[in-house]
Amino acid sequence: MADTPNPIQIQKFLGGIDYPAKREDLLSRAKDSGADKNVMEALEALPDREYDSPTAVSSAISDSSS
């Protein structure tokens, strides 16, 4: 995978999303916000579950990239 985006980059594209949010909701919001390929790939690699906060998303991304 390409370089993993940092949490600030990811949250920039998820602004305004209501938590808890499912992976599909995160992907849809990021796409609508014009997320780049790295951000989309990082979100696509997340486990398909519900995330209760931006921190949970960031943690899951860092776990999936290691």
Side-chain angles (χ1 to χ4, degrees):
M1 180 162 65
D3 293 334
T4 303
N6 70 46
I8 295 168
Q9 289 174 299
I10 294 165
Q11 295 308 321
K12 179 173 76 170
F13 295 111
L14 297 179
I17 196 165
D18 292 324
Y19 289 95
K22 295 182 180 177
R23 183 182 70 172
E24 291 304 315
D25 299 328
L26 300 173
L27 287 165
S28 178
R29 172 62 66 139
K31 184 177 180 183
D32 291 348
S33 298
D36 61 30
K37 184 179 177 192
N38 281 353
V39 171
M40 292 303 294
E41 286 178 355
L43 293 172
E44 288 166 357
L46 290 174
D48 190 10
R49 63 178 179 88
E50 200 165 77
Y51 297 88
D52 60 1
S53 68
T55 305
V57 174
S58 297
S59 294
I61 287 172
S62 65
D63 289 349
S64 69
S65 67
S66 52

